[in-house]
Amino acid sequence: MPEQKKKRQIDKEFLSVIPDAMPALDDQQSIPLRETAFLTLRKLILTGKLHPGERLTEVRLGKILGTSRTPIREAIRKLELEGLVTITPGSGARVARITEEDLQDVMEVRSALDQLCASLASQRITEEEIRELLKARDAFEHSARNGDEQEIAESDVRFHDVIAGAARNRRLDQVLSGMADTIYRFRFEYIRDDLHYEKLIEEHRMICDAIMEGNPDKAASTAKEHIKRQQEFILSQIRKAQQ
């Protein structure tokens, strides 16, 4: 009985995050059930609501999402193609764990992109964009000290989006858009530990200062250190989980 009670509690907590993860009601009416299931599960994985290694049971997910097993099965197969789910004969589907190789691949690209964004922004940012950047910086600080993980992640995205916008490079925007979801998952892994929040606030301020000074080298180097710290922490978490 205690085990059943625990399972019901887990399902209840999981159910509470479903509405935010599901597509808007109008979109749900125009897309197939399998796509709704795919988009919902995908967002739950990317935002850390479904944890790396967590088992994905078709029956359970179908009941929680209010659909049959077939759309869930199709969604899981599609998630496997994206590398977000692993399917092992005999043990079923699980949320894919982040490997050291995954981390290095993503963070190498993100570091290069963020350095370029910061460098270009320091040379091209307008007065209006500076005001937007300071507003985004302050919003992040507020959420880091008072908000939940979702709010912190969203305000972090906004901060970096303002910098990317100030870089004013359409091709760079396209590359960033293609990486956005993957980067989002790693961002969540980092902000789970609130011990980083004050350091993140400090790093954001340093990036802002370098951009407003119009110093491209300093802007790039502060962005590089910002990503390096994230990579080092997530790497330590990966290795800790393997012990």
Side-chain angles (χ1 to χ4, degrees):
M1 287 299 292
E3 189 64 30
Q4 290 178 345
K5 185 177 180 181
K6 181 180 179 181
K7 183 177 182 301
R8 285 196 297 269
Q9 179 62 29
I10 292 173
D11 283 353
K12 183 178 179 181
E13 292 173 358
F14 181 55
L15 185 60
S16 70
V17 303
I18 292 295
D20 290 336
M22 293 188 74
L25 188 59
D26 290 344
D27 292 334
Q28 291 179 43
Q29 295 172 347
S30 62
I31 60 178
L33 278 175
R34 64 177 180 276
E35 192 67 14
T36 297
F38 165 72
L39 293 172
T40 302
L41 293 175
R42 186 172 186 269
K43 186 170 183 179
L44 290 169
I45 292 172
L46 292 172
T47 57
K49 299 298 187 301
L50 284 171
H51 304 291
E54 184 169 346
R55 190 176 180 189
L56 302 176
T57 307
E58 293 174 11
V59 174
R60 173 175 174 254
L61 291 174
K63 288 179 179 178
I64 294 173
L65 294 177
T67 186
S68 67
R69 295 175 59 180
T70 300
I72 300 295
R73 185 181 303 117
E74 293 174 347
I76 288 174
R77 287 173 179 166
K78 193 171 179 180
L79 289 166
E80 183 187 24
L81 293 176
E82 287 203 0
L84 293 175
V85 167
T86 57
I87 300 177
T88 306
S91 62
R94 294 183 183 274
V95 177
R97 297 185 185 278
I98 297 173
T99 66
E100 292 187 27
E101 184 179 6
D102 292 334
L103 177 66
Q104 181 171 335
D105 287 349
V106 172
M107 288 305 189
E108 282 179 347
V109 176
R110 187 184 174 191
S111 179
L113 294 176
D114 277 27
Q115 288 179 64
L116 180 57
C117 282
S119 177
L120 292 176
S122 72
Q123 302 170 66
R124 301 173 179 177
I125 196 166
T126 65
E127 290 297 323
E128 182 179 350
E129 288 168 335
I130 286 176
R131 288 192 290 272
E132 289 181 22
L133 181 60
L134 292 174
K135 183 178 178 181
R137 181 201 67 184
D138 292 344
F140 176 81
E141 292 185 15
H142 176 78
S143 64
R145 290 175 173 143
N146 304 289
D148 60 12
E149 291 177 358
Q150 181 78 38
E151 184 181 345
I152 294 167
E154 294 296 342
S155 61
D156 187 47
V157 169
R158 175 57 184 161
F159 175 79
H160 288 283
D161 280 352
V162 173
I163 295 173
R168 226 178 261 91
N169 184 305
R170 288 179 300 166
R171 295 299 184 186
L172 180 55
D173 285 341
Q174 291 173 352
V175 176
L176 286 167
S177 294
M179 290 288 295
D181 288 339
T182 302
I183 289 173
Y184 200 75
R185 189 184 188 199
F186 285 87
R187 176 180 276 114
F188 253 88
E189 288 300 311
Y190 188 54
I191 65 172
R192 286 184 188 283
D193 192 334
D194 59 9
L195 293 176
H196 300 295
Y197 292 172
E198 288 302 321
K199 187 62 179 177
L200 279 169
I201 289 171
E202 179 187 345
E203 290 171 354
H204 280 195
R205 288 183 176 181
M206 291 173 64
I207 293 170
C208 277
D209 290 345
I211 289 173
M212 291 188 295
E213 288 170 13
N215 189 328
D217 291 338
K218 185 177 178 182
S221 64
T222 53
K224 180 180 180 179
E225 286 302 310
H226 180 57
I227 302 306
K228 182 181 177 183
R229 278 179 50 80
Q230 293 186 36
Q231 181 173 352
E232 289 174 347
F233 171 75
I234 299 173
L235 178 60
S236 69
Q237 294 301 99
I238 292 173
R239 289 176 174 172
K240 188 182 297 183
Q242 292 173 344
Q243 292 176 356

